[in-house]
Amino acid sequence: MAKYRHISHGFDPVFDENSRILILGSFPSVQSRKNAFYYGNPHNRFWQVLAGCLDAPVPPNEGDPLEGKAASLEQSITAKEELLLAHGIALWDVIESCDIKGSSDASIKNVVPAQIERILETAPIGAVVCNGSTAGRLYQKYLQWQVGLDACVLPSTSPANAAWQLDRLSKRWREEITPLLKAASEGMLEKAAPARAAKPAGTVEYASVRIPAPPASSYAVHKSMQGNNRKDTKPELLVRQKLREAGLGGYRLQWKVPGHPDIAWPSKKVAIEVRGCYWHRCPHCKPSVPKKNVDYWEAKFARNIERDAENLATLEAMGWRVHVIWECQLKKNKLDTTLAELFPQLAEELDKPLAEA
């Protein structure tokens, strides 16, 4: 029985400056990860369906006859890339890494979305097509706010989608892809306008700085790092308890907007971010930096700071009011002061009376 593993995508998107249509899958299958290219399962009908939409020959899979001999994996990948780029199509997946069992989309959890700006900053994407409902759901949850386009969700080409036979599947894809290709050729697809926060001049794009994580110095350190919670931390639980005591309940957790704020009142567009001082680099207590593997830690912390700032700016641009509480502000000697400053403002924004102490 397959077990959960945290898997990274493992290969690059296909696109260039002429790509107008972006096709997104969910996450590569085991065979695709092995081949380091998209739709590597020979039973997946993606390349057949797409070639039919483009009125082009189906590119060969590894081992298929090609010029009198079997095609190599490299030749297969090259042919597929050429098919995409010749017709202005970009290809990627929504997920950069996740926990997954084998190739099962249904098992996906702990998602890290793809850095879609890699494509948006180069290609004038005017339409997004999702291969299957899972890809469509994940796109809407993680990427649509950045891309700024609704997706056309088409039936999955996966062999698991047995309800859609090849003829019916091809017809459905052609109905959607053909008009998009025509619109692109006539210059009728408007470039997406991503909802991204402006960055000051000279800002380093730390999201693109990827330094391999150093090995843990001991098994105890490894287990300690694994024990770090991404949600429901002690500071978050304390703030939620105090909110309920103050009569400011009715909040939602990890709400589905940029940054997934820890505590949110969506109808009022009010949110609270409870940030750990160490990982988010508190400006009040200014935590130390590890003395070993300095390059890795500086890049990691810088990415965290940049991501926090971008999420905050994006939420504010969407009309949200976001309050940031730092872990050190919840210590016993500062807790009452922190809440005394925050709660009256929250009560006014939420139009709720504060409960009497």
Side-chain angles (χ1 to χ4, degrees), residues 103-345:
S103 301
S104 171
D105 277 359
S107 71
I108 289 173
K109 62 181 183 179
N110 296 330
V111 167
V112 176
Q115 296 175 29
I116 199 68
E117 60 270 23
R118 287 182 60 187
I119 291 180
L120 300 181
E121 290 171 355
T122 299
I125 298 299
V128 176
V129 175
C130 290
N131 186 356
S133 58
T134 299
R137 174 176 55 81
L138 293 168
Y139 169 78
Q140 185 178 39
K141 182 175 182 180
Y142 293 108
L143 298 182
Q144 184 171 338
W145 69 272
Q146 282 183 284
V147 179
L149 292 171
D150 291 332
C152 170
V153 181
L154 293 176
S156 173
T157 60
S158 166
N161 186 18
W164 285 77
Q165 297 298 317
L166 180 59
D167 289 347
R168 181 184 175 210
L169 186 67
S170 298
K171 180 181 178 182
R172 180 72 184 90
W173 272 69
R174 183 184 283 270
E175 287 172 352
E176 296 295 339
I177 297 294
T178 300
L180 292 178
L181 291 169
K182 185 174 185 294
S185 66
E186 295 174 354
M188 299 298 290
L189 285 182
E190 294 186 8
K191 181 180 177 180
R196 303 180 64 218
K199 296 185 176 68
T203 299
V204 177
E205 291 279 0
Y206 283 103
S208 64
V209 179
R210 296 291 171 182
I211 300 174
S217 57
S218 68
Y219 181 73
V221 171
H222 169 71
K223 293 298 289 183
S224 176
M225 295 295 285
Q226 281 190 324
N228 288 318
N229 293 330
R230 300 177 65 179
K231 59 182 179 179
D232 296 335
T233 61
K234 288 183 179 179
E236 288 177 37
L237 294 175
L238 175 60
V239 172
R240 281 148 52 180
Q241 175 192 337
K242 295 298 182 181
L243 285 168
R244 293 192 298 272
E245 291 173 356
L248 300 176
Y251 49 76
R252 299 291 182 266
L253 306 179
Q254 305 289 320
W255 191 248
K256 299 174 184 178
V257 288
H260 292 253
D262 303 306
I263 301 166
W265 292 265
S267 64
K268 299 292 185 179
K269 288 193 172 182
V270 174
I272 296 176
E273 279 285 347
V274 184
R275 292 183 183 170
C277 294
Y278 183 78
W279 294 108
H280 296 268
R281 313 314 291 166
C282 173
H284 305 293
C285 62
K286 298 179 181 179
S288 61
V289 177
K291 295 180 180 179
K292 294 183 179 180
N293 304 304
V294 175
D295 288 345
Y296 169 78
W297 289 109
E298 285 185 346
K300 182 176 181 63
F301 292 146
R303 285 199 304 273
N304 290 350
I305 293 170
E306 181 181 312
R307 183 171 57 245
D308 289 342
E310 183 165 343
N311 288 334
L312 180 60
T314 303
L315 282 174
E316 289 176 345
M318 295 167 63
W320 283 72
R321 289 165 287 188
V322 184
H323 302 275
V324 177
I325 303 178
W326 292 93
E327 182 181 5
C328 66
Q329 294 177 309
L330 299 173
K331 291 184 177 180
K332 288 183 179 180
N333 62 338
K334 296 182 179 180
L335 177 62
D336 290 342
T337 301
T338 300
L339 301 185
E341 293 176 355
L342 174 63
F343 281 6
Q345 187 176 354

